[in-house]
Amino acid sequence: MSEASRRESSDKGSQQADIGVTGLAVMGRNLARNLARHGHTVALHNRSPERTRSLVKDHGDEGTFLPSESLEDFVASLERPRAIIVMVQAGPATDAVIDELTPLLDEGDIVVDCGNAHFMDTRRREHALREQGLNFVGCGVSGGEEGALNGPSIMPGGSKEAYEKLGPILESIAAQVDGTPCCVHVGPDGAGHFVKMVHNGIEYADMQLIAEAYDLLRAGLGASPAEIGDIFRTWNEGDLDSYLIQITADVLSQTDAETGQPFIDIVLDQAEQKGTGRWTVQSALDLGIPITGIAEATFARSLSGHADQRAAAREAFGTDRNPLDLKDRDAFIEDVRRALYASKVVAYAQGFDQIAAGSDEYDWDIDRGAMATIWRGGCIIRARFLDRIRAAYDDDQALTSLLVAPYFADAVRSGVDSWRRVVAQAATAGIPSPAFSSSLAYYDGLRAGRLPAALIQGLRDYFGAHTYRRVDKDGTFHTEWGGDRQEHTA
């Protein structure tokens, strides 16, 4: 062993790390740097040692790192109870790392999965490790690579005991808003990853609504992307103030260096997805929660990717749009803004409904106001009106729907006429607006005095004897449709 190697081995032997990170791709690398910058001694490991060496070489001056090339040395370099962040691809790769780690760990050690895992996988892993005396924490992290480095929103689940050690560490690296860290213990087993999943579903809806607003403005105003970017920049100074509105203005203002065209016009119009939107919709179906805005946003991405079908439809039907008959340019812009805000409220209301339903189903006891609090900074959906959401749940933790909280009810009432005009104009012009339209339909369905579901129940009873209930007396009933059509108690 060389003198330098002996010196490095001696240095490692004289101290132990507060926390370890295995998996040093962009997110893991940036989380490790964030931890080191905040005074934590960070153990490092990657299946490919070159990534470990690269991190230390490029950023070793940012704090104290203890690199290891073997998993055994990595585990040995951690103080007990050990806390290990796993940042690898969700699914089998995560299971493989956990299977390698667990024989090396001792009772009370903590494995933290900060990837985008499905919450049911997290529940399975938490149960399996708990039986071995180990703590497993599914931890949602939002903010992308920039957030991971400079302060993300962090949503850890798992046991309260695990959070006693992890909490101070995670809170130290989280985004801070008004002196409050954007990190809180969400609840047991899969609660953290469930909330992160719903966060991503809301993100899908938010982006789809923004894209529909842009499409309407471009078709209606005939404005350039840069001019529409200026409109979004103005909107970001009011109630719509948010990270996504801010970066929308930047993207629309960008010019492609190669062609000189607006950047947005040289990007292929096929939106990709990594699966969290689909998971959100699937979970909502299982829970019986209508998240129509999130679902339509997810389906809109799917539609955009069906290039062959879209090409066939264009050939069959053409691409012509009817011109929007705008008598007042500024009034149209304001209508779109109000419709965007009202639809955004619906998306968040539906997401928080899903969190409440998941919390009840899995006995997680999630504080919805706390979720609004930790989403105010660091994460992709951070927005000014999250303070309003937090206040609504502070005032009434049993709130049946965010839409009926006084502030949001007033906002929707004041914008509903604009909302209707925008959806009608889009339909007349042939401009697809699935998220705007479904959000308005949800609002109308929620407030309807009587829904046509009564007819559906009648039909179900007719063809399948599925029974129905009456409005005027208790009980369950069936009509003998194929016989004398007499009603009897089921």
Side-chain angles (χ1 to χ4, degrees):
M1 181 184 290
S2 69
E3 181 61 31
S5 297
R6 277 195 295 272
R7 205 163 43 242
E8 180 181 346
S9 177
S10 174
D11 288 345
K12 284 180 65 175
S14 66
Q15 64 182 139
Q16 289 192 302
D18 309 328
I19 192 165
V21 180
T22 181
L24 299 176
V26 174
M27 286 292 289
R29 181 184 182 95
N30 283 1
L31 271 180
R33 292 174 58 196
N34 191 352
L35 287 160
R37 288 176 174 185
H38 284 86
H40 303 289
T41 301
V42 185
L44 301 175
H45 173 264
N46 193 76
R47 188 175 296 275
S48 167
E50 183 52 42
R51 280 191 174 170
T52 309
R53 298 189 200 108
S54 170
L55 193 159
V56 175
K57 177 184 175 183
D58 295 341
H59 305 289
D61 60 348
E62 294 182 343
T64 304
F65 296 109
L66 300 184
S68 297
E69 296 197 358
S70 74
L71 207 57
E72 291 80 4
D73 287 348
F74 170 69
V75 170
S77 70
L78 288 155
E79 68 177 25
R80 299 184 185 184
R82 304 178 182 95
I84 298 171
I85 292 176
V86 176
M87 283 298 295
V88 299
Q89 188 174 7
T94 300
D95 283 324
V97 171
I98 292 170
D99 289 344
E100 285 185 71
L101 273 174
T102 49
L104 306 175
L105 302 180
D106 296 314
E107 185 172 348
D109 286 351
I110 307 165
V111 178
V112 188
D113 176 12
C114 285
N116 266 337
H118 192 286
F119 75 95
M120 293 301 287
D121 284 341
T122 301
R123 299 193 78 209
R124 168 180 58 80
R125 291 165 182 152
E126 194 276 338
H127 178 75
L129 266 66
R130 181 164 22 99
E131 289 192 334
Q132 301 177 55
L134 301 173
N135 292 292
F136 185 78
V137 173
C139 183
V141 178
S142 178
E145 57 186 87
E146 180 183 346
L149 180 62
N150 298 315
S153 175
I154 307 179
M155 295 152 261
S159 69
K160 291 181 179 178
E161 293 75 21
Y163 195 74
E164 286 178 8
K165 175 177 174 68
L166 279 177
I169 297 174
L170 297 180
E171 289 172 18
S172 72
I173 67 166
Q176 305 278 324
V177 177
D178 299 331
T180 300
C182 294
C183 173
V184 72
H185 181 232
V186 176
D189 57 71
H193 274 147
F194 181 86
V195 165
K196 175 56 164 58
M197 175 193 74
V198 176
H199 164 284
N200 284 21
I202 295 171
E203 180 185 308
Y204 274 50
D206 215 340
M207 285 193 283
Q208 177 65 26
L209 290 166
I210 288 170
E212 290 178 17
Y214 155 74
D215 201 17
L216 283 158
L217 290 173
R218 192 157 190 191
L221 304 177
S224 70
E227 290 169 329
I228 299 170
D230 288 338
I231 292 171
F232 275 92
R233 201 165 280 113
T234 300
W235 287 354
N236 201 48
E237 296 171 359
D239 288 339
L240 282 169
D241 176 13
S242 68
Y243 174 68
L244 283 171
I245 295 289
Q246 172 195 330
I247 66 173
T248 296
D250 287 347
V251 170
L252 291 176
S253 300
Q254 179 74 3
T255 299
D256 176 52
E258 184 175 338
T259 64
Q261 296 182 53
F263 168 79
I264 194 70
D265 288 344
I266 59 93
V267 176
L268 186 66
D269 61 337
Q270 296 179 19
E272 297 180 0
Q273 52 186 308
K274 293 187 175 180
T276 48
R278 289 195 300 271
W279 292 349
T280 308
V281 176
Q282 290 162 353
S283 166
L285 289 170
D286 291 338
L287 293 168
I289 301 300
I291 56 166
T292 53
I294 295 170
E296 288 296 346
T298 305
F299 292 138
R301 289 199 191 189
S302 298
L303 174 65
S304 77
H306 285 272
D308 292 344
Q309 289 183 332
R310 291 176 60 197
R314 286 195 297 270
E315 185 175 348
F317 306 118
T319 61
D320 293 343
R321 290 176 169 181
N322 297 321
L324 285 165
D325 183 19
L326 300 185
K327 296 179 174 60
D328 186 329
R329 180 181 186 276
D330 291 339
F332 176 70
I333 293 172
E334 178 61 11
D335 276 351
V336 174
R337 186 193 70 80
R338 287 174 178 267
L340 175 57
Y341 190 73
S343 299
K344 182 184 177 85
V345 172
V346 167
Y348 280 72
Q350 292 176 348
F352 277 92
D353 287 348
Q354 185 171 358
I355 290 173
S359 181
D360 290 343
E361 175 71 16
Y362 302 109
D363 197 23
W364 285 331
D365 193 26
I366 297 175
D367 181 341
R368 288 177 290 176
M371 298 308 98
T373 298
I374 66 173
W375 288 349
R376 294 181 304 157
C379 72
I380 303 302
I381 64 171
R382 59 186 183 265
R384 176 192 294 187
F385 88 151
L386 282 160
D387 278 321
R388 301 283 192 179
I389 295 177
R390 179 187 62 175
Y393 286 116
D394 284 348
D395 290 342
D396 183 2
Q397 291 193 2
L399 190 64
T400 56
S401 169
L402 195 61
L403 279 174
V404 304
Y407 171 81
F408 293 109
D410 287 344
V412 170
R413 270 192 295 263
S414 68
V416 71
D417 289 341
S418 293
W419 204 1
R420 294 194 191 286
R421 281 193 293 270
V422 166
V423 169
Q425 287 170 311
T428 301
I431 300 169
S433 60
F436 275 166
S437 302
S438 64
S439 299
L440 179 58
Y442 174 84
Y443 161 78
D444 282 331
L446 206 60
R447 70 181 189 86
R450 186 164 170 80
L451 290 168
L455 177 57
I456 293 171
Q457 281 303 94
L459 296 172
R460 293 180 73 243
D461 189 60
Y462 193 111
F463 68 69
H466 292 299
T467 75
Y468 54 88
R469 288 174 293 157
R470 296 177 59 98
V471 298
D472 54 357
K473 54 186 173 182
D474 293 335
T476 304
F477 301 89
H478 168 62
T479 293
E480 296 294 343
W481 297 101
D484 60 9
R485 299 208 172 188
Q486 294 297 304
E487 179 183 83
H488 60 79
T489 303

